[in-house]
Amino acid sequence: MVAPSACAHKLLSFFPFLLVLLDLQYEGVECGINADVDKHLEMGKKLLAAGQLADALSHFHSAIDGDPDNYLAYYRRATAYLAMGKSKAAIPDLSRVIELKPDFTSARLQRGQLLLKQGKLDEAEEDFKRVLNSNPSDQEEKEATSQLIKSDEIQRMRSQGMEAYNIKDYTTAESLLNVVLEVNNAFLLSFETCVWDAEIREVRAECYINQGEPGKAISDLKAASKLRSDNTAAFYKVSRIYYQLGDHEMSLSEIRECLKLDPDHKDCFSHYKQVKKLNKQIQTAEEFIQEGRYEDAIGKYGSVLKTEPNVPAYAALVQERLCHCYSKNQQPTEAIRECSEFLQREPNNVNVLKDRAEAYIQEEMYEEAIRDYETAQQSSENDKQIREGLEKAQRLLKQSQKRDYYKILGVKRNAKKQEIIKAYRKLAQQWHPDNFQDAEEKKRAEKKFIDIASAKEVLTDPEKRSRFDAGEDPLDPESQQGGGGSHFHRGWNQWQGFDPFGSTGPFNFKFHFN
């Protein structure tokens, strides 16, 4: 079932159009108009009835140009403005109608209703009282009376709301000002209230700010900035709220609007310089990340903290991006530290969980990586990156329980090729079977030597190393997808006579000793 308040609000939205339809039936006193003006009025009236509002408005403009004292032309144009939703533009035309024809109660009643929506309650009440004193129709008398009653109630609630605001009772103030600004109580259910009152919207915005509801405050302040064309204060406040929320781009956009209205506005210009500098630093840092220049990005985000050390939103942003940069830059210790601190505040942040999981993999902490990917997956089930990362971590965990080429050579997963070769040479010399005479020791050394040689083959070959890093052992027939591949599981007989430091065999080295 549709709520009664919703129905009432929908009917109210059509009120200007009802006025238009009523007006089309209105036949006023004959006006002394020439044929061209009469033609424009008639054509405009037909177009208005057909819903061709822009064309109708054009004809009413022409009628007024032809006869600036024709009250009916102004009234028709006002009804067109109302039908187009340009109620503020209709008020001057209605005022001109009343000036030319003071007893035109329909125009005065409409102007009173528009003034009421603007929060100009005294002026609105004056119009309603004049309608009642000018021999109105039954319908006009009923409407004017109900509007007067409503205006008195709004005056009372507005006064109480301002009193509560002045004593910093923001909850009570907001509740009362809601009634003034919106259709939301039983008494005013069938009427529109002071929806265009910029001052009351700004006061309610302050109530929202003090109650920790910045989003609602922004909504009211943006409305206030449109209701008053020179409202620099509203743009400044909106920019400050966005800034505190960490939305530097929206903050910059709003403060620019303030400076468009007043380039010399002291507060707006000062804030503009701060936001512009911060925004540029963040943009540059993100460009570095896109280019893979993670060290530069880390330095630039350090500058962000120096520019704005006091707003928590930017401290959180910097920590989140440092977590990402360290993870991508193969600095797992730093990444885990930054990510973990951030996750204490936002334990379900998907991006940070993914970055920390990647850092855990770099540190060979596969179980921890799996936990992070699984936590992230709960919030983002269809994320391909999470799914692939989780599968990789699971493969690596399984792999680590078997043969790990990095551990065999005693190097980290991010070791350079030169480090790998250096480790291989040292271990190959140490574990060459010719160094051992005892049969059991020789047998153990043979197995060790084969593992060392296998590790060297895999980790110095970019394609094989990439497959191994993805959780697949390129030398293990069981892990080959579809079979094939180069299998390195050879017996010691194949290595006999091989000198790892000579020029024969599959490995060729050149050494230069001082």
Side-chain angles (χ1 to χ4, degrees), residues 133-180:
N133 293 330
S134 60
N135 193 27
S137 67
D138 291 344
Q139 181 60 35
E140 289 172 338
E141 181 178 6
K142 180 180 178 182
E143 180 68 17
T145 301
S146 66
Q147 292 286 357
L148 270 175
I149 295 172
K150 180 181 70 168
S151 180
D152 287 341
E153 178 67 5
I154 291 174
Q155 286 271 33
R156 182 180 66 82
M157 292 191 173
R158 176 177 177 149
S159 177
Q160 292 177 356
M162 292 303 297
E163 288 177 6
Y165 173 76
N166 289 332
I167 62 172
K168 299 182 179 182
D169 184 357
Y170 300 115
T171 302
T172 300
E174 180 215 330
S175 178
L176 291 164
L177 296 181
N178 285 344
V179 177
V180 175

Side-chain angles (χ1 to χ4, degrees), residues 65-223:
D65 291 340
D67 185 1
D69 293 328
N70 189 315
Y71 80 89
L72 195 55
Y74 286 103
Y75 186 67
R76 298 288 190 204
R77 188 169 73 174
T79 57
Y81 279 135
L82 287 171
M84 296 172 77
K86 299 180 178 180
S87 302
K88 289 174 67 176
I91 292 178
D93 277 358
L94 292 172
S95 296
R96 180 64 173 153
V97 172
I98 294 167
E99 179 185 343
L100 294 169
K101 188 172 178 56
D103 62 344
F104 197 162
T105 54
S106 180
R108 193 178 291 279
L109 183 60
Q110 288 185 44
R111 187 179 71 173
Q113 291 165 343
L114 296 177
L115 291 170
L116 183 68
K117 291 171 73 175
Q118 289 185 335
K120 298 177 180 179
L121 301 178
D122 292 337
E123 295 177 48
E125 287 185 6
E126 179 63 23
D127 272 343
F128 299 142
K129 289 176 181 178
R130 293 286 293 273
V131 168
L132 293 175
N133 293 330
S134 60
N135 193 27
S137 67
D138 291 344
Q139 181 60 35
E140 289 172 338
E141 181 178 6
K142 180 180 178 182
E143 180 68 17
T145 301
S146 66
Q147 292 286 357
L148 270 175
I149 295 172
K150 180 181 70 168
S151 180
D152 287 341
E153 178 67 5
I154 291 174
Q155 286 271 33
R156 182 180 66 82
M157 292 191 173
R158 176 177 177 149
S159 177
Q160 292 177 356
M162 292 303 297
E163 288 177 6
Y165 173 76
N166 289 332
I167 62 172
K168 299 182 179 182
D169 184 357
Y170 300 115
T171 302
T172 300
E174 180 215 330
S175 178
L176 291 164
L177 296 181
N178 285 344
V179 177
V180 175
L181 287 168
E182 300 169 2
V183 183
N184 68 347
N185 86 335
F187 181 82
L188 301 175
L189 185 60
S190 60
F191 301 97
E192 285 188 85
T193 51
C194 305
V195 290
W196 300 337
D197 192 330
E199 179 186 356
I200 292 300
R201 285 196 175 275
E202 290 178 21
V203 173
R204 187 171 69 171
E206 289 296 323
C207 293
Y208 285 138
I209 291 171
N210 283 281
Q211 293 181 94
E213 298 184 271
K216 291 182 178 180
I218 288 173
S219 179
D220 265 348
L221 289 169
K222 282 192 171 184

